[in-house]
Amino acid sequence: MDLRFLASREFSLVQQFAAHFVHTGMIARSLICAAEALEAAGNRANDSDVSPIELYEAARRALMVHDDEILARAGQYWYITPADFPSRRLGLEVPHNHVVDAATSFIILGRKFRDIRLGSLGVSLTRPWLHELAMLERGDLPHPWYYYPFGSDSFKGVVRDSPVSEREVTGVQRGEDSSHAIMRVRALLEWQAIDPQLVGGKTLKLVALAFRKNYMTSKSGLATLRWLPAAPNDRSDKARLGHADTYSGAWGALHRWDPRMKRRINLMAYSHPPQRVFGATVLSAAEIVAMNAELPTNASYD
């Protein structure tokens, strides 16, 4: 990062004890988007100080920092919280939303570098949520929005010998709040665009229906989003209704598989204009514009 804009003086740096995997995934995904934009620009990008391949390489290096955090069980890969991370649930599986951008990035990088290992890792990381969607379709789950992978140690809880600070960890079976769930639906749409055999239209129809059923509601006659899914064990959190309305645009792309989505997302955007503008609201606004203009919002597809 170019820090020449800062005034000249001494600055104190605080040590970062562990990189947060969700942020690394988002950064890697952004680097890939920038690389693709430069490639699409062709000769117009000649003045850029960085090349697309340098951005792809930076994304790959960032993801590789977390190699020690990956867990493999019966051929299934997932990431865990490092034992030195300054938070609870150390050494247990991280939530779905922490992994989805990394999964997308691995799939794209695997194709870009013709690296079967990277691509296979990315596909493997998609399976836990896709498995939960299949369970929903069979009627084995009430909703597909669990925060932690269904059946994982984070979901069930675990008793263990180490670390000493966490001998007994209670399982967390709550649903995903609607602000985090948008990361998952963005990723799902990208997986479908990259490989329709990985995620088919039937799955996207199911997700759109699950969204309308579990998150959509109304308050004082206006469309709004629940903070948590509407299932027997997940509170609707009425006190937080409306907090996710101003960054709901990601769901709009599902209108290609559920025509009712466009009207609902537009109605919500009209009824709840953002009170504050920040990154998530800008992105959501762009996604709503793209929905109405029938433009794809996924950056990586053939």
Side-chain angles (χ1 to χ4, degrees):
M1 179 181 293
D2 187 347
L3 300 178
R4 286 175 292 181
F5 66 90
L6 292 173
S8 298
R9 67 181 181 87
E10 290 188 2
F11 293 88
S12 299
L13 299 179
V14 178
Q15 181 181 359
Q16 182 176 351
F17 289 97
H20 213 320
F21 187 59
V22 61
H23 296 146
T24 301
M26 294 167 70
I27 291 168
R29 188 69 197 92
S30 298
L31 289 169
I32 291 169
C33 282
E36 291 169 336
L38 286 176
E39 288 178 330
N43 293 334
R44 291 174 295 160
N46 287 340
D47 293 334
S48 173
D49 291 333
V50 64
S51 69
I53 195 64
E54 288 175 311
L55 294 174
Y56 286 121
E57 287 284 3
R60 178 162 62 175
R61 289 198 306 272
L63 291 168
M64 291 300 104
V65 167
H66 298 269
D67 259 6
D68 292 342
E69 299 162 33
I70 198 165
L71 185 73
R73 289 177 178 166
Q76 172 61 60
Y77 295 95
W78 202 253
Y79 285 83
I80 60 172
T81 305
D84 62 346
F85 197 85
S87 69
R88 292 196 69 251
R89 311 189 69 76
L90 306 177
L92 294 185
E93 295 93 334
V94 298
H96 279 294
N97 69 70
H98 285 213
V99 175
V100 290
D101 280 336
T104 307
S105 299
F106 276 124
I107 294 172
I108 298 170
L109 291 171
R111 293 173 136 218
K112 185 67 183 177
F113 293 111
R114 298 182 180 178
D115 187 325
I116 295 175
R117 187 184 68 86
L118 287 180
S120 297
L121 173 57
V123 170
S124 182
L125 294 172
T126 71
R127 289 183 183 136
W129 189 30
L130 295 180
H131 175 65
E132 291 172 30
L133 288 170
M135 292 179 69
L136 173 72
E137 186 176 6
R138 295 195 303 266
D140 296 334
L141 289 180
H143 66 77
W145 308 110
Y146 289 104
Y147 190 66
Y148 290 100
F150 182 83
S152 67
D153 284 345
S154 295
F155 187 88
K156 296 183 299 184
V158 64
V159 177
R160 57 191 182 176
D161 295 329
S162 62
V164 175
S165 59
E166 275 191 306
R167 292 295 181 89
E168 185 172 348
V169 185
T170 304
V172 175
Q173 300 181 11
R174 75 169 178 87
E176 183 95 273
D177 65 70
S178 50
S179 66
H180 283 141
I182 58 174
M183 297 175 63
R184 294 168 67 176
V185 76
R186 282 189 187 114
L188 190 70
L189 287 159
E190 292 224 276
W191 301 343
Q192 196 274 338
I194 294 168
D195 185 357
Q197 292 186 334
L198 184 63
V199 178
K202 184 179 180 181
T203 299
L204 294 174
K205 286 182 180 180
L206 180 70
V207 171
L209 177 61
F211 166 70
R212 290 194 289 106
K213 180 180 179 181
N214 298 129
Y215 286 119
M216 287 294 299
T217 185
S218 61
K219 182 180 181 182
S220 302
L222 297 177
T224 186
L225 289 182
R226 294 183 177 94
W227 189 251
L228 295 173
N233 296 325
D234 291 315
R235 296 173 296 127
S236 64
D237 247 342
K238 292 183 178 179
R240 303 182 81 170
L241 285 177
H243 283 252
D245 292 336
T246 56
Y247 39 87
S248 59
W251 304 99
L254 289 169
H255 81 276
R256 286 175 279 168
W257 294 272
D258 186 340
R260 288 165 289 188
M261 292 290 289
K262 180 181 287 190
R263 180 178 180 277
R264 286 174 181 250
I265 297 298
N266 279 332
L267 180 61
M268 195 153 50
Y270 179 79
S271 302
H272 305 279
Q275 300 300 309
R276 292 185 300 157
V277 176
F278 50 100
T281 53
V282 173
L283 180 57
S284 177
E287 288 168 330
I288 292 172
V289 169
M291 173 188 70
N292 288 292
E294 298 291 340
L295 296 173
T297 55
N298 31 28
S300 303
Y301 56 94
D302 292 332

